[in-house]
Structures are given as structure tokens and as C-alpha cells.
Amino acid sequence: MNARHPGPQRRAYAGVVLAAVAALLAGLGIWATAGDGTADEGLPDNAVSGEPLTGPCAPDAALVPRCGAWWGAYIPYDGNSSLTAPVYAFEKKIGRRLDLVYTYHDMSGNTLDGQLLTPDEQELGRDRLLMLAWESTVWKEPHHANWTETQLGWRNIASGRHDTEIIDPQIRRIKAYGKRVFLSFDQEVDARIKEGAGTPEEYVAAYRHLRDRFEKLGARNVVWVWTVSGYLGSAQEMKRLYPGDDYVDWLAMDQYNYFTCHNTTDWKDFDRSQRPSHDWLIANISDEKPLMMAEFATVPDPADPDRQRDWYTAVPEVVRTMPKVKAMVHWNRAVPGEGCDLTVNDGPGLEGYRIAGQDDYFKQPVPNR
């Protein structure tokens, strides 16, 4: 199994690459057009509103719900580069509002790919939590077409080389937003080593530098998530990639039941698809941090359509036996390849996912600050 599977880690939106980044990375073959103005134009409005949540189920400072777990999803932008429209449509199908919306960005600085907290994210964030996955790459084509990208390199991130042109403008945007957000730096990091991002030690230095930079610029409304694939063939790499308890607020993993996808033939029910990695992270990384299933899904079984529904309806019962799991984020996008449809847009999959999401365990008050 390829730990960084082709679809879920190759995200994109349309946009225009910031002129400063294009100049900085000139000669590397990066897709670019004209810049979109100064880095600090159009800072987000402060999204903090109302009084802090109180009561026994109010989340703590690290957005850990004290009762149950958050229910979230990754929903791709539609053909019109709208995120709000597909999210609202998905919520109508599942009969509830998502607690958490998960989005992906590169470090280009352009208005859709590389600008953290787009207008659509800000709109969705009024009533939901946001999870921003920030990749240390620049995508070469709009919408990350053909999944081509240029690595900035963890060593360069750690050295501060990209602070002024790339990092700091986005930090100021998140600071202006005010409301707490989840941030994952280079999700499924264990699979990025072979893609040329750098060594585990360089990643740790880059992660720490990034968090320290947020602190220095006063952007303290970030909850830091460390996301690995959870593929146990990368166990030793995952240990070396951990930035440390002082730098990480949440652990996260991306595990699936691929079955017919990626040349596998073994159907894993929800429990068996998640528990080995869940147990390993708690035993080997931290038994104190909350855990996020940052991407989870199953393909259907062509021979037994009801099997996909049952996979999802088992989620509430299983997650109750995993008290460290405090957030569930469905990956609602097909990945390339025959038999690789991970969506729950219709049929038994939608029915099962809808049933799971109606469970009281996934109905927690979402904070407004």
C-alpha cells in the first residue's frame, strides 16, 4: 500500500500565484500568472462572536470536546471554485450541519490555492470549525491538475527562508480571523520523505519553526495538529517525525478501507480499518493527546452494496470504545483508479453515513470563538 494515496493528498483549487512567490521560485517550472496584490490585502474579518461556551460539554482551549466527538468532512470545491455550495449541498443530504470543514492549501499565496481562510472558508467558519491543511509545496497547475508540485523543502522552511514572502502573510491572515482553527502542517508527513521534502529531523525543525513563528507574530488562535498516514509500515519514520508534546495539540491519522482500490482485496470493517493505527499512535507517540481521524472512508463492495452502509453505521459504537478519538473527518472524494470511489453522495453509503452522523455522540456545541 502506498501510504500517501494519490487522491486524498493531492488537493487543489483554482487561483493565481502570488508574484512574490513566482519570483522567489523562478526557474522551477511553477505554474504562475500575474500576482494578486500585496500580501496583506483583504485580511479576514474577526470571526469571534458571542459568549464563550459553558457547561459540561464545552470544548477546552485546544478544541477538544468533553462529550463525544466532532463530525466533519472534506468536501472538494465544485467546478465554479465554490466551497460553500458543495458543503451546503452535502449537509442537506446528510441531514445535519458539519461541525468541522477540512480544506487544503499550498504555499503559493494565490487567492484560492495558497491563501488561508478564503472568503468561502470564512463564511463556513461562522457556524463550523475549520481545519486547514497547509502543504510546503507550490502546485504547478490550477486545481493541482496531474498532482504536479514543487517542494519548498523542510530545511528551507526551518531556516526562515520563506517567512517574509510566504509564511508571515498567512499568519497575519489567521491572526486577523481571531477564531480558533485547526492547522495541520504537511498532512501524511510520513509519505512526504520519498517525495523529496526532506528528512524527519528537518521536518521536526520546520514544524517547530512554523509554530514558533505563529507565536512570535501573536497568532495564538491555532490548534496544532500532527497528521500521519497511520500506515504501520512507516512506524519508525513516524516516531522520528514527531515534533514533541510541546508543539503538538492533536494527533491525527488517515486510514481507509480500500478493498477494491489500490490493488487490495481485503475488506476491513470500520474497527479493523482504524484500530491498529489508533492503538499504535497512543502506545508509541502519546497517550495524552486527543486523536483525530482526519480522513476516513470506505469504497463500496460491488457484490454487496449494503456492506458500505453497515461500515458507516458501525462508526458510533466503535468510536465509543476509542475515547481518545475526538474528531471524525470523512474524505468525500473519489481517488484515481478503478474501484476507488470513497464518496457517500448517494446509495447505501449515504444512508449509513447519515445514520452515523445522527448519533448523539457526534452532536456537540460548536464554539464561536
Side-chain angles (χ1 to χ4, degrees), residues 17-276:
V17 174
L18 189 66
V21 178
L24 180 69
L25 299 171
L28 295 181
I30 298 171
W31 168 78
T33 60
D36 58 352
T38 61
D40 286 340
E41 283 183 354
L43 290 176
D45 292 331
N46 191 309
V48 174
S49 64
E51 295 298 320
L53 290 178
T54 59
C57 292
D60 66 15
L63 293 176
V64 181
R66 292 184 170 91
C67 306
W70 304 125
W71 192 248
Y74 166 73
I75 310 296
Y77 280 79
D78 66 16
N80 296 319
S81 293
S82 171
L83 181 61
T84 52
V87 167
Y88 295 151
F90 183 73
E91 291 178 333
K92 186 176 181 179
K93 286 183 178 181
I94 66 173
R96 60 161 292 166
R97 179 185 294 162
L98 294 168
D99 298 325
L100 184 155
V101 173
Y102 195 9
T103 61
Y104 293 79
H105 297 268
D106 71 354
M107 287 191 173
S108 64
N110 69 55
T111 54
L112 286 180
D113 290 333
Q115 182 171 285
L116 303 185
L117 296 165
T118 65
D120 279 17
E121 288 172 332
Q122 293 173 57
E123 178 178 331
L124 293 168
R126 293 172 189 163
D127 301 309
R128 301 161 190 81
L129 298 170
L130 296 176
M131 168 82 161
L132 311 174
W134 202 11
E135 296 188 0
S136 61
T137 63
V138 173
W139 301 333
K140 291 185 179 182
E141 301 166 85
H143 295 285
H144 212 175
N146 300 311
W147 311 305
T148 55
E149 61 193 11
T150 295
Q151 300 283 344
L152 298 186
W154 293 329
R155 178 183 297 179
N156 293 325
I157 300 293
S159 73
R161 175 181 174 184
H162 298 309
D163 286 355
T164 301
E165 297 89 350
I166 299 174
I167 305 297
D168 292 356
Q170 304 310 320
I171 294 177
R172 287 191 284 269
R173 292 184 62 78
I174 291 178
K175 179 181 179 181
Y177 182 69
K179 186 176 177 179
R180 286 172 291 174
V181 298
F182 292 106
L183 181 70
S184 174
F185 172 57
D186 274 343
Q187 76 288 350
E188 292 200 13
V189 62
D190 47 305
R192 294 178 182 268
I193 299 170
K194 61 188 174 187
E195 296 179 352
T199 67
E201 291 72 25
E202 288 168 345
Y203 172 76
V204 168
Y207 191 108
R208 292 177 177 179
H209 173 79
L210 200 61
R211 179 157 187 174
D212 288 344
R213 194 71 183 169
F214 272 76
E215 289 287 336
K216 183 175 181 178
L217 296 185
R220 299 184 178 90
N221 55 313
V222 174
V223 175
W224 290 84
V225 183
W226 178 72
T227 308
V228 291
S229 70
Y231 172 53
L232 297 184
S234 302
Q236 294 307 310
E237 288 86 352
M238 288 191 287
K239 286 182 181 180
R240 293 171 60 199
L241 287 160
Y242 187 56
D245 287 351
D246 291 342
Y247 283 85
V248 173
D249 298 316
W250 285 63
L251 309 181
M253 67 183 205
D254 299 349
Q255 284 291 290
Y256 294 82
N257 173 43
Y258 286 122
F259 191 44
T260 55
C261 184
H262 297 317
N263 299 315
T264 61
T265 58
D266 181 22
W267 177 273
K268 297 178 180 178
D269 63 19
F270 177 77
D271 187 289
R272 196 159 69 88
S273 71
Q274 306 297 318
R275 195 174 295 276

